[in-house]
Amino acid sequence: MSEIERHTYDVVVIGAGGAGLRAAIEARSNGKRTAIVCKSLFGKAHTVMAEGGIAAAMGNVNPHDNWQVHFRDTMRGGKFLNSWRMAELHAKEAPQRVWELETYGALFDRTPEGKISQRNFGGHEYPRLAHVGDRTGLELIRTLQQKIVSLQQEDFRNTGDYESYIKVFAECTITRLLTDDSGAIAGAFGYFRETGDFVTFEAPAVVLATGGIGKSFKVTSNSWEYTGDGHALAMRAGGTTLNMEFIQFHPTGMVWPPSVKGILVTESVRGDGGVLTNSEGTRFMFNYIPDVFKDKYATTPEEADRWYADPDNNRRPPELLPRDEVARAINSEVKAGRGTPNGGVYLDVSKRLPADVIRKKLPSMWHQFKELADVDITAQAMEVGPTCHYVMGGVEVDPDSGSAKVPGLFAAGEVSGGMHGSNRLGGNSLSDLLVFGRRAGLGASEYVDAMGDRRPKVTESMLVDAEAEALVPFTTDGGENPYSIHAELQQTMNDLVGIIRTESEMVDALEKLAAFRERVTRVSVVGGRAFNPGWHLALDLKNIIMVSECVAKSALERQESRGGHTRDDFPTLDPNWRKVNVVCRIDGDSVAIKQQPIIAMRPDLLGLFDVEELKKYLTAPELPNAELPNAELPNADLGKGDL
Amino acid sequence: MGYLAKFRVWRGDNEGGGLQDYAVEVNEGEVVLDIVHRLQATQTPDLAVRWNCKAGKCGSCSAEVNGRPRLMCMTRMSTFTEDEVITVTPMRTFPVIRDLVTDVSYNYEKARMVPSFAPPADLEPGDYRMAQIDVERSQEFRKCIECFLCNNTCHAVRDHEENKTSFSGPRFLMRIAELDMHPLDTVDRRQVAVEEHGIGYCNITKCCTDVCPEHIAITDNAIIPLKERVADKKYDPLFSIASLFRRNKDDRTAPPAAKV
Ligand SMILES: Cc1cc2nc3c(=O)[nH]c(=O)nc-3n(C[C@H](O)[C@H](O)[C@H](O)COP(=O)(O)OP(=O)(O)OC[C@H]3O[C@@H](n4cnc5c(N)ncnc54)[C@H](O)[C@@H]3O)c2cc1C
Ligand code: SF4
Ligand code: SF4
Ligand code: FES
């Protein structure tokens, strides 16, 4: 075995997106020596791409907003499958987390009174998303990055070393969590992308903040980093994931040119009046209004058009139905042969707004289409179609501390599961990152404090194993190219476990996945270890296959349709299925699943809903007996002027 | 539809390397980064390149295409003719790690030398009040995606390795200006702008502004106003008294930045 660089920390945070950085700030603030490890450069994590905003019931624009309303919206969005405790903590703490960003230097757009401005978004009853134009994620990550720098400057003043408490290990990929004989976390093992050299972090607490799994699908808004590493690391260390069948397909991704297929077209385009039509020129969304929403959406184009000017006396255009409904509708139109030449539908805002208003309200969309598709959205229609966007499922955690089922392991952000149930509302991810990033950092610190000096040890044999595993692709000669396996897998998941699912196709997918699992053991890579993307992908592929298997198995298990999981063979929501989560763990080489009962919601939280509404989601024995105090009925709006 | 393009890509590491020729398929609508990815997938699996968002939002894929500093993901192949040779090289100002990947740690070191945002000590979270018009100036600079193309381009470091210790480049002069224009910041950074970040090295050529993919008016809106404020401090005999007071945030010469 080669000499391996070794570091000792109290807490190792894997991931430098919103969740990871907020966790690191908290751990450092609790006096913990903290390492931040990430695959890309510092400041480039996926969070940078978020556009619309961050949801927090501050009530700056509509004073009726409060945590109870936000909680209700979140539970409805997730079709009541959410961890209600997480949804509660999230709704209560999000405003403090956003205000705190201002103390770090964030500059949100303002209201006329100089407060943080808030905008409407799908599923949120009141204007709730704090934002900076359409680049909110950039503001969030830069602010946290700069806060880390300011803490390092403080540490420099006190100790003479910037990195005495927080050090960022950028372009470093963790391939394994190290656990001792009792199963507790002892550290993490990985390699520096730049050199290919291995590194060991010895630490009793690890926070996973690795984001999502979008690279399992061909058409996705997600970057190369989204290979499900955290999900796989947790499961291999003995942890569990849940709700993996729930994938959010955003209805509007670019479909042309092919090379940018999947890149996001923000929901705000529809909020600002964008209209969806098929190749026959029909505004088809009127044909897809589900019964439960019949009374809330316009039934004629005339009424829909009036809504923009007069929302009080008209119903909303059906383009503004929840994401899952719109995505399914587009999918059906294309399948029925009414798609555009490039396999999407048309989204047109040019007939609704004058050119200069479009450029002002949707600057980055205008730029994106102009530069990448040669389409001027002020004069032409966009072609759009569904794209894999977000995974609701993730590592099973304790809501309050973020601790996973492995002692010493914590998770926060997109990699964790539960908070969003079966479907996430726009804007609820960025707030989730901050609320649970902070809680995981705190949870990890408390765990380390409680442990005293009895820290699990990293042994040589753990490292021998981990190193051998990482080097396998170099020792295989004449094996397959990792890029082609990846492309085939993405096509398989897109075709067979995509937006509409059915038993036979998923069974087929699982067979194919078993074959991929076998094939990946035989990939070989050329070149050396220094910055070798082929090698990196070869290692990531194992994770991609594992999480894909979680998705396919869980989706096959859940015989109903709910949020981000639609079964052709079980097209309706079934309250009996709301009582369980599908939970995944590793059994030998493959994924094993089980159904796990969900803890009943606390009565005071249940009391925030109208019994009539609860009847849609809960089975009869679960309903509260007495009529409860009347809560307001949903009036969720994707509002006008929504950027 | 597709055609074979002539690509010339710099391959090598910090010990040396050179341009290598490839013939590679190009399809309609593709950008330079797509072609680099196709090279990886079909001919050179170990070709090193950075990227994340593929939409001009993360600032990872900076390189020089036919000598021009650019984001590869925002450089459309249709801007070249089919028989043109397209040369892709790493950013020249930073040391090469491998192929198109450079060591940009200089930028992170300079970032760490900028004194951080410091709000008034008695201001509670949630009580921050700022007018939109006052935040817009700094917001323009916060559009920066840290692609470091401006720092790669500025001749003061591009042609003068020795200046790297004393000059932080346009990106971080702009960061100082951004904090300086923050309506609630309380720190005076004029001295560090001169002594630690070398604002005097900038002679306003505006090359940084020309290459900024975010179209930030780096020179006009950030550096020149900062230079003026620094000059005020240097030559204002009253400065030592004035600096005892909280700065008047309204004495700035920059007009409110136009919002794009
Ligand atoms: C185009 C787009 C727009 C969006 N817009 C919004 C929006 O407006 N509002 C909203 O709320 N949400 C939005 N989302 C969702 C939201 O941006 C993400 O869910 C969120 O940013 C995830 O943050 P995170 O901290 O969990 O992980 P990320 O920011 O993705 O960070 C993951 C980190 O983990 C690191 N990592 C991963 N694996 C490893 C490993 N093996 N070793 C070391 N490091 C590793 C990565 O390098 C990275 O640093 C959007 C998403 C997309 C794609
Ligand atoms: S304007 Fe100044 S900072 Fe910008 S490139 Fe010219 S000399 Fe460099
Ligand atoms: S100012 Fe512009 S060119 Fe410079 S790093 Fe930022 S985005 Fe890139
Ligand atoms: S890949 Fe993000 S800017 Fe090019």
Side-chain angles (χ1 to χ4, degrees):
Chain A
M1 196 182 74
S2 55
E3 194 55 41
I4 292 178
E5 183 177 327
R6 204 157 166 150
H7 300 277
T8 306
Y9 281 94
D10 298 320
V11 177
V12 171
V13 177
I14 308 176
L21 297 184
R22 189 60 189 85
I25 291 168
E26 198 62 19
R28 146 70 175 70
S29 306
N30 282 278
K32 298 292 164 282
R33 289 190 66 250
T34 306
I36 300 172
V37 188
C38 55
K39 294 207 279 191
S40 292
L41 290 173
F42 192 32
K44 308 292 182 199
H46 220 281
T47 298
V48 84
M49 290 160 73
E51 291 161 2
I54 172 166
M58 295 180 285
N60 289 352
V61 173
N62 189 320
H64 297 304
D65 203 9
N66 57 40
W67 76 262
Q68 289 93 338
V69 187
H70 193 181
F71 170 78
R72 280 204 300 261
D73 289 345
T74 302
M75 293 300 294
R76 283 173 189 141
K79 305 244 160 62
F80 272 69
L81 199 75
N82 319 51
S83 153
W84 48 264
R85 175 63 176 160
M86 287 175 96
E88 177 194 10
L89 292 170
H90 170 258
K92 283 182 172 162
E93 294 176 5
Q96 287 151 265
R97 297 287 79 77
V98 172
W99 286 324
E100 183 176 78
L101 291 179
E102 287 198 300
T103 71
Y104 300 170
L107 285 172
F108 291 102
D109 289 345
R110 318 305 297 180
T111 64
E113 313 83 71
K115 296 181 183 174
I116 297 174
S117 172
Q118 299 186 267
R119 66 165 46 132
N120 283 306
F121 229 63
H124 293 282
E125 185 162 346
Y126 297 117
R128 189 176 285 146
L129 271 66
H131 55 91
V132 187
D134 50 6
R135 60 157 187 87
T136 313
L138 173 65
E139 185 69 13
L140 185 87
I141 203 158
R142 202 64 81 231
T143 299
L144 293 171
Q145 180 184 349
Q146 287 163 351
K147 176 64 180 178
I148 301 260
V149 164
S150 88
L151 292 172
Q152 288 180 324
Q153 290 173 345
E154 200 177 300
D155 294 338
F156 178 77
R157 286 193 292 273
N158 296 331
T159 67
D161 176 4
Y162 283 110
E163 291 170 339
S164 49
Y165 277 89
I166 304 188
K167 183 167 163 121
V168 181
F169 295 84
E171 300 200 304
C172 177
T173 303
I174 298 298
T175 56
R176 235 191 218 205
L177 298 177
L178 307 172
T179 49
D180 72 359
D181 291 339
S182 74
I185 290 291
F189 176 90
Y191 62 88
F192 289 106
R193 286 158 50 80
E194 203 171 286
T195 56
D197 292 343
F198 293 117
V199 56
T200 302
F201 297 94
E202 199 162 11
V206 166
V207 179
L208 291 172
T210 52
I213 68 159
K215 277 294 169 192
S216 286
F217 292 85
K218 181 169 175 217
V219 181
T220 176
S221 66
N222 294 173
S223 86
W224 69 270
E225 293 199 313
Y226 269 25
T227 51
D229 294 5
H231 297 75
L233 288 168
M235 288 196 293
R236 280 207 222 97
T240 47
T241 55
L242 51 69
N243 290 350
M244 292 298 288
E245 64 274 38
F246 298 109
I247 309 276
Q248 183 166 79
F249 290 87
H250 197 288
T252 59
M254 292 176 80
V255 297
W256 192 91
S259 62
V260 295
K261 194 164 178 164
I263 288 184
L264 197 71
V265 179
T266 175
E267 189 164 317
S268 323
V269 176
R270 280 169 288 136
D272 284 341
V275 162
L276 292 165
T277 53
N278 61 21
S279 59
E280 294 165 0
T282 309
R283 198 166 159 187
F284 58 85
M285 281 309 301
F286 290 102
N287 307 331
Y288 292 93
I289 305 171
D291 282 344
V292 286
F293 292 122
K294 271 272 182 297
D295 51 335
K296 296 203 189 70
Y297 287 82
T299 44
T300 63
E302 293 70 31
E303 181 181 3
D305 289 350
R306 286 195 302 267
W307 178 83
Y308 291 100
D310 181 10
D312 293 338
N313 296 307
N314 294 286
R315 291 169 299 179
R316 274 173 288 170
E319 274 87 1
L320 305 183
L321 277 159
R323 284 180 183 176
D324 49 341
E325 307 288 352
V326 183
R328 276 191 294 268
I330 295 176
N331 194 64
S332 307
E333 286 297 306
V334 175
K335 273 205 170 159
R338 293 186 293 269
T340 64
N342 297 303
V345 296
Y346 295 109
L347 171 61
D348 195 351
V349 68
S350 70
K351 296 190 184 66
R352 174 87 59 187
L353 297 174
D356 55 325
V357 177
I358 295 176
R359 275 195 294 269
K360 189 153 189 263
K361 285 193 158 190
L362 301 165
S364 87
M365 284 304 113
W366 182 76
H367 190 236
Q368 182 172 313
F369 272 89
K370 193 86 199 113
E371 301 262 330
L372 295 174
D374 231 347
V375 166
D376 178 358
I377 67 168
T378 66
Q380 291 163 278
M382 298 163 247
E383 277 183 73
V384 297
T387 180
C388 169
H389 187 55
Y390 184 89
V391 60
M392 269 68 73
V395 177
E396 184 180 10
V397 292
D398 168 58
D400 288 73
S401 68
S403 73
K405 302 277 162 187
V406 178
L409 185 62
F410 299 78
E414 191 168 341
V415 69
S416 71
M419 158 71 203
H420 305 287
S422 68
N423 177 48
R424 171 181 72 89
L425 295 184
N428 265 5
S429 172
L430 295 184
S431 39
D432 163 4
L433 307 183
L434 298 174
V435 167
F436 296 103
R438 174 184 156 276
R439 284 186 163 270
L442 187 62
S445 304
E446 286 171 353
Y447 174 84
V448 172
D449 287 339
M451 139 173 301
D453 322 321
R454 302 178 317 274
R455 299 190 169 197
K457 292 271 176 304
V458 171
T459 63
E460 283 302 294
S461 70
M462 295 177 190
L463 304 185
V464 174
D465 252 27
E467 178 172 5
E469 178 189 53
L471 290 174
V472 169
F474 283 110
T475 57
T476 319
D477 275 335
E480 275 191 88
N481 171 341
Y483 295 96
S484 30
I485 299 190
H486 186 210
E488 272 182 59
L489 180 141
Q490 288 182 296
Q491 189 73 55
T492 303
M493 289 301 285
N494 235 75
D495 293 346
L496 304 178
V497 201
I499 184 166
I500 311 284
R501 300 158 175 176
T502 178
E503 178 171 330
S504 56
E505 291 185 344
M506 287 186 286
V507 170
D508 189 10
L510 282 165
E511 272 167 31
K512 293 206 159 82
L513 285 168
F516 287 129
R517 190 166 1 104
E518 219 274 309
R519 279 165 66 186
V520 80
T521 59
R522 284 180 279 113
V523 295
S524 58
V525 297
V526 301
R529 270 163 59 180
F531 218 112
N532 184 341
W535 179 39
H536 304 163
L537 179 60
L539 297 179
D540 292 346
L541 259 183
K542 286 199 260 185
N543 301 333
I544 298 178
I545 293 171
M546 187 183 292
V547 294
S548 300
E549 200 177 327
C550 290
V551 175
K553 281 206 168 138
S554 309
L556 183 60
E557 179 79 359
R558 184 171 286 274
Q559 297 185 333
E560 65 155 351
S561 293
R562 179 186 294 273
H565 169 64
T566 306
R567 292 279 301 251
D568 224 8
D569 40 359
F570 298 95
T572 54
L573 182 138
D574 176 353
N576 286 304
W577 273 104
R578 199 214 55 86
K579 297 195 289 187
V580 292
N581 290 127
V582 178
V583 174
C584 303
R585 65 184 171 81
I586 291 298
D587 183 17
D589 231 10
S590 71
V591 172
I593 54 165
K594 67 164 188 202
Q595 292 182 19
Q596 177 172 292
I598 289 177
I599 303 168
M601 198 191 292
R602 239 180 29 229
D604 60 312
L605 296 177
L606 210 53
L608 296 172
F609 296 91
D610 191 88
V611 178
E612 280 312 304
E613 184 181 10
L614 291 177
K615 283 182 184 160
K616 286 202 301 201
Y617 299 105
L618 307 188
T619 57
E622 292 175 284
L623 292 170
N625 300 330
E627 278 290 317
L628 285 154
N630 199 30
E632 290 151 76
L633 275 171
N635 179 26
D637 249 13
L638 175 69
K640 198 171 144 286
D642 159 36
L643 270 172
Chain B
M1 181 86 277
Y3 67 99
L4 276 188
K6 298 192 237 355
F7 257 67
R8 187 168 280 182
V9 182
W10 196 90
R11 304 291 315 266
D13 55 27
N14 56 4
E15 317 212 307
L19 293 168
Q20 279 190 24
D21 289 307
Y22 302 96
V24 51
E25 185 188 320
V26 174
N27 299 307
E28 196 185 352
E30 289 183 330
V31 293
V32 169
L33 184 62
D34 292 315
I35 311 309
V36 170
H37 281 157
R38 181 158 305 121
L39 274 174
Q40 274 186 337
T42 57
Q43 304 181 36
T44 58
D46 61 336
L47 170 60
V49 59
R50 282 195 183 107
W51 68 286
N52 279 293
C53 68
K54 252 190 125 258
K57 294 195 171 114
C58 71
S60 303
C61 64
S62 308
E64 302 190 3
V65 182
N66 289 348
R68 258 192 81 73
R70 309 212 43 149
L71 296 177
M72 284 184 276
C73 73
M74 297 304 273
T75 307
R76 280 168 63 84
M77 288 302 295
S78 60
T79 57
F80 308 103
T81 59
E82 293 194 4
D83 48 10
E84 201 170 341
V85 177
I86 295 157
T87 306
V88 188
T89 49
M91 285 192 282
R92 199 181 88 191
T93 305
F94 310 119
V96 167
I97 292 173
R98 218 168 85 76
D99 303 340
L100 301 175
V101 174
T102 56
D103 176 358
V104 290
S105 53
Y106 160 80
N107 298 285
Y108 290 96
E109 279 154 27
K110 296 298 180 187
R112 202 148 69 182
M113 286 164 51
V114 178
S116 294
F117 172 64
D122 54 353
L123 191 58
E124 292 298 320
D127 288 348
Y128 285 47
R129 296 290 177 272
M130 295 175 262
Q132 181 63 32
I133 191 146
D134 291 333
V135 299
E136 272 173 14
R137 286 175 283 202
S138 297
Q139 277 183 334
E140 181 193 9
F141 310 140
R142 291 181 72 82
K143 288 196 306 192
C144 170
I145 57 174
E146 299 210 323
C147 63
F148 307 129
L149 285 172
C150 54
N151 276 8
N152 171 55
T153 305
C154 177
H155 65 95
V157 276
R158 191 174 173 94
D159 302 326
H160 299 278
E161 180 68 29
E162 70 280 8
N163 287 347
K164 279 190 183 163
T165 41
S166 37
F167 180 56
S168 298
R171 164 63 187 118
F172 298 102
L173 294 175
M174 181 179 89
R175 168 74 173 138
I176 294 171
E178 173 215 313
L179 287 162
D180 195 62
M181 295 182 196
H182 189 302
L184 291 173
D185 179 66
T186 58
V187 175
D188 189 335
R189 293 175 189 77
R190 285 180 283 188
Q191 198 168 344
V192 293
V194 178
E195 291 170 6
E196 290 181 42
H197 297 275
I199 192 168
Y201 287 80
C202 165
N203 54 357
I204 325 188
T205 59
K206 302 197 187 181
C207 312
C208 50
T209 305
D210 284 345
V211 297
C212 176
E214 285 293 305
H215 307 294
I216 302 171
I218 307 171
T219 325
D220 286 348
N221 290 352
I223 299 183
I224 294 176
L226 186 63
K227 275 179 174 277
E228 284 168 357
R229 284 181 47 75
V230 164
D232 275 358
K233 169 175 176 160
K234 271 199 174 150
Y235 304 117
D236 184 352
L238 285 177
F239 168 70
S240 52
I241 301 167
S243 69
L244 294 174
F245 299 97
R246 204 170 122 54
R247 277 185 307 152
N248 173 8
K249 284 276 180 183
D250 292 320
D251 64 351
R252 287 181 201 108
T253 45
K259 207 154 164 71
V260 202

